Amino acid sequence: MRNLLLAVFVLACAFSAVAQNKHPFTFEDMMALKRVEEPVPSPDGKWVLFAAVDVDLKANTKTPHIWVVPLSGNQDNDTHVSQNQGNVGHPVVDQSSGEREIISDQDADRPRWARDGKRFAFVSTKENGSQIWIADFDSSTGTVTTKHRLTNIATEADGELWSPDGKNILFKSDVDPECDGTPESEAECNAKKLEEKKNSKVKVLIFTHLLYRHWNAYKEGKRSHLLVIPAGSIVSESGEAYVPTYTGPIISGVPTPGAGGLTRVWPRDLTPGDYDAPVFSLGGQDNYAFSPDGHEICYASNHDPVPAISTDNDLFTVPVNVEADATSAQILAQTKNITADNKAADETPLYSPDGNYIAYRAQARPGYESDRFRLMLYDRKTGHKEELSEGTDRWVGTFTWAPDSWHVYFSYEDRGSAPIAVTKFRHWGNDPESRWLISTTDKVQGFNDDLVVTPDGRTLLFTRMSLEHPNEMYKVALPLIPLKQDEKPYRAEEPILAADPLTHFNDSVLSQVAMSPLESFWFTGAKGDRVEGFLVKPPNFDPGKKYPVKFLIHGGPQGAWGDDWSYRWNPELFAANGYVVVMINFHGSTGYGQKFIDAINGDWGGAPFEDLMKGLDYVEEHYGFIDKARECALGASYGGYMTNWILGHTNRFKCIVTHDGTFNNESDWGTTEELWFNEWEFRGTPYTNRELYRKWSPHLFATNFKTPTLVIHGQLDYRLDVSEGFQLFTTLQRLGVPSKMLYFPDEGHWVLKPQNSQLWYKTVNDWVDQWVGK
């Protein structure tokens, strides 16, 4: 017993020493973390490709590179490969789990496998802007042997997909819809227009319709289209693309124009017209997909005559193998709208492996971007549509098919987390609208995204994050057990499946950092509803001390705080210099049901403000370490609106930080681009419902402003125009309220450049320290 107590004492001392050796999280620590993207399993199930972004703070750059990891685990534990940034085939190895960087001599992003597993496509800006490249892959060693550029298109290329039949590669490009004709003439027209613009001394733009700018860029008449090019194309030294017209090998990888055995090819536009096809996306699952036979694509596009007020994204299908000289009219004649009956959003199509169905996400209420996203199923033979997520009122996120074509895995938002569920369906009989059996069960807990099932159906891959850890890749085993000899196997009904990490990129950095876990609390908020809040304590927390508060308010407003990672508003980084961070998921937040989300419509300064104040009251009452005399409110986007609202409605805070927030609801309507958002939230335009716009407009309460305020805005923010920030700062200065403005001429709605982000965090934290003190 004495030896046991001694061992326990020694172990406790060791843990204490480790804890004391850790330092508070710093901005430099955050920039040292690798940003892991989605997993892409190889066709043989042996390897997983993915991109990871490196941040160079000194160079002010963020650069993606392509890595590979064995699916079965660390196959390289006994092998050390040193850093080699210049040679393909000499990968960088992370010894902790077998990750290897296989393209390191150039930027490389978004890997996508060929059917044979011997090649993959990727995106790189190494030559002539963003273009599609092809890498040859040795599966026996997990290395890249050679790589070459596939496209050389003047309008650039990204978002590639390799067709399942291996013949074509689909990609996105921003083209001029006026360049309408054959593939050759369209390419020449776009190149000519770009060259003329580059050489012109006149930089004027002419607008003929709304949505002339979006998020952080002017559209300049361009449309995002989907183009296709043969996967076997070879680009010459002068930039033309050729395909072999004979069966013999190509001796030289760089053909001479006009050489025998080669035919010149141009990318073919499969989505012609003055529409974005696919629709704009801020990330997440693709809004386009190949059919399993590679003969068709499905994509999302909005054909509303005024897209600035419409959320009516529809799904369209079009054959891939159109004639080489097909006109735009001929391609459009073969295009089919499969969701025309739904006037709300239909997005992210994904064909079932057997080709019988298309799964997709859909909303039900036109004009409302925050309606619940449902998981839908479209029967390609009958046209019948069925909801697969019926019975839940949570938003469906990323989803993926199992190889058997009757299981779909999906993530969904739920009270600050994003678990994974599986829905199973079967249909019997001749009537397409009857005898559907659908069941949905939870499978994996945590905050998960980027789901994909391996080709053999035995493993589910995904990314996972938490408040204390950025994205890493994880895997879950999916055991198969038979029903009967004449029936397909189904997955064992385990209540929750255990997930294992597949990568460990950031363990070494985070092992040296002191962080605190996310703590949840509940209180009674507006309307008598239960409302959830979260709290993060500073490192080396002492419950006997009093701590100042950073009160963070999320954007959206249909967003939420949760157990997830952020580089822009990181609660751990805000807590690191001696603050308690408090966050409230007020009415309007996602993950608590659609009724809770809808409660904010037309009530921006009502129930949400009440929730925030009651939540902070609860924290002050129940946590004795809170110093309620030293609190600062910080928010961006809707959070910026709410901090502006707080300015005119309470003086309980010692300071305010407002980033990209609405100050004047009427002027915001006139300067934003996605008008459907304002017109839904305020139930019309300022000319049809001015009373509601003015009721919740912070600028009308400016005579109450007294709290010292830091105003932050970006010139390229077209969701909330920079004029909103200028108006607020001018008002504060004229009222004599202590104020400062941090203005970024080269940032949009988010501050993304590394050195700008560094300045942002420093300026924000210095402002809070100035008025709150530590």
Side-chain angles (χ1 to χ4, degrees), residues 427-589:
H427 176 249
W428 285 272
N430 297 322
D431 182 358
E433 297 187 15
S434 65
R435 305 194 67 189
W436 284 89
L437 297 182
I438 301 170
S439 63
T440 302
T441 54
D442 280 356
K443 284 297 179 185
V444 183
Q445 297 302 308
F447 207 104
N448 311 299
D449 200 0
D450 305 315
L451 281 59
V452 62
V453 177
T454 54
D456 62 4
R458 300 302 299 269
T459 306
L460 174 66
L461 299 171
F462 52 93
T463 57
R464 170 178 289 179
M465 66 173 75
S466 71
L467 189 82
E468 301 174 81
H469 206 297
N471 258 359
E472 295 281 2
M473 289 197 300
Y474 280 73
K475 62 180 180 179
V476 162
L478 301 174
L480 298 176
I481 57 176
L483 286 169
K484 296 178 181 178
Q485 285 187 341
D486 59 344
E487 292 184 337
K488 294 180 180 179
Y490 72 93
R491 310 203 185 285
E493 287 301 323
E494 301 174 23
I496 297 295
L497 299 175
D500 298 314
L502 188 60
T503 62
H504 298 268
F505 267 116
N506 297 307
D507 289 358
S508 59
V509 172
L510 295 177
S511 67
Q512 305 171 49
V513 173
M515 289 187 178
S516 300
L518 187 71
E519 299 182 31
S520 169
F521 60 89
W522 291 81
F523 62 95
T524 301
K527 308 176 188 295
D529 293 337
R530 296 281 289 166
V531 177
E532 187 175 23
F534 298 101
L535 181 146
V536 181
K537 297 171 183 173
N540 305 313
F541 174 75
D542 182 349
K545 293 183 178 180
K546 291 281 189 179
Y547 289 91
V549 171
K550 290 176 180 173
F551 189 59
L552 305 188
I553 305 173
H554 71 67
Q558 293 88 355
W561 298 112
D563 195 14
D564 58 333
W565 184 266
S566 172
Y567 287 99
R568 297 191 306 273
W569 282 72
N570 189 289
E572 295 286 0
L573 196 53
F574 280 127
N577 62 334
Y579 287 83
V580 171
V581 173
V582 177
M583 301 167 283
I584 306 296
N585 281 345
F586 47 80
H587 279 81
S589 301

Side-chain angles (χ1 to χ4, degrees), residues 265-327:
V265 293
W266 290 266
R268 288 175 294 143
D269 190 342
L270 296 180
T271 61
D274 194 9
Y275 313 105
D276 283 315
V279 292
F280 173 82
S281 173
L282 289 171
Q285 200 156 345
D286 288 340
N287 271 310
Y288 50 96
F290 268 109
S291 62
D293 59 11
H295 295 168
E296 179 183 277
I297 63 168
C298 183
Y299 62 90
S301 183
N302 188 325
H303 287 195
D304 193 291
V306 189
I309 61 172
S310 170
T311 61
D312 188 15
N313 301 332
D314 282 318
L315 296 183
F316 296 81
T317 61
V318 65
V320 172
N321 300 315
V322 296
E323 296 78 5
D325 59 348
T327 65

Side-chain angles (χ1 to χ4, degrees), residues 203 334 425 459 467 520 728 734:
K203 305 303 179 184
Q334 301 178 67
F425 67 93
T459 306
L467 189 82
S520 169
L728 172 59
R734 290 292 290 119

Side-chain angles (χ1 to χ4, degrees), residues 28 42 147 207 238 261 285 364 439 568 610 708 720-721 751 768:
E28 288 70 25
S42 61
K147 50 189 173 63
F207 311 130
S238 55
Q285 200 156 345
S439 63
R568 297 191 306 273
E610 184 179 342
L720 286 156
D721 191 79
V751 176
V768 179

Side-chain angles (χ1 to χ4, degrees), residues 579-755:
Y579 287 83
V580 171
V581 173
V582 177
M583 301 167 283
I584 306 296
N585 281 345
F586 47 80
H587 279 81
S589 301
T590 55
Y592 302 88
Q594 192 62 42
K595 180 182 178 182
F596 193 80
I597 294 171
D598 293 347
I600 198 172
N601 301 156
D603 192 37
W604 272 35
F609 176 72
E610 184 179 342
D611 289 340
L612 290 166
M613 296 304 102
K614 286 184 174 179
L616 189 54
D617 291 342
Y618 178 91
V619 168
E620 292 173 352
E621 180 182 350
H622 290 83
Y623 296 94
F625 49 81
I626 295 292
D627 188 344
K628 63 181 181 180
R630 295 189 295 158
E631 298 171 335
C632 187
L634 307 87
S637 196
Y638 173 83
Y641 161 87
M642 180 51 71
T643 51
N644 295 344
W645 184 257
I646 284 172
L647 256 174
H649 289 81
T650 180
N651 295 319
R652 72 185 295 175
F653 296 100
K654 294 298 182 183
C655 68
I656 281 176
V657 176
T658 175
H659 180 155
D660 291 356
T662 301
F663 177 63
N664 182 332
N665 286 341
E666 293 179 272
S667 63
D668 176 49
W669 174 87
T671 54
T672 191
E673 13 78 290
E674 294 179 350
L675 290 172
W676 66 74
F677 177 83
N678 301 61
E679 294 182 14
W680 180 278
E681 295 296 330
F682 298 108
R683 299 171 180 167
T685 73
Y687 308 110
T688 60
N689 198 10
R690 174 160 286 161
E691 181 181 351
L692 193 58
Y693 277 82
R694 293 175 68 83
K695 178 180 180 180
W696 302 120
S697 189
H699 84 287
L700 294 179
F701 301 89
T703 53
N704 299 330
F705 291 1
K706 292 181 176 62
T707 309
T709 300
L710 172 64
V711 182
I712 307 173
H713 225 109
Q715 180 66 46
L716 306 181
D717 184 359
Y718 304 140
R719 286 295 296 114
L720 286 156
D721 191 79
V722 68
S723 59
E724 294 298 305
F726 289 152
Q727 290 181 70
L728 172 59
F729 181 64
T730 298
T731 302
L732 291 165
Q733 288 284 303
R734 290 292 290 119
L735 290 172
V737 177
S739 51
K740 177 189 290 187
M741 183 161 186
L742 178 60
Y743 164 74
F744 290 99
D746 57 347
E747 297 284 6
H749 199 58
W750 303 305
V751 176
L752 300 178
K753 296 180 179 179
Q755 291 182 12

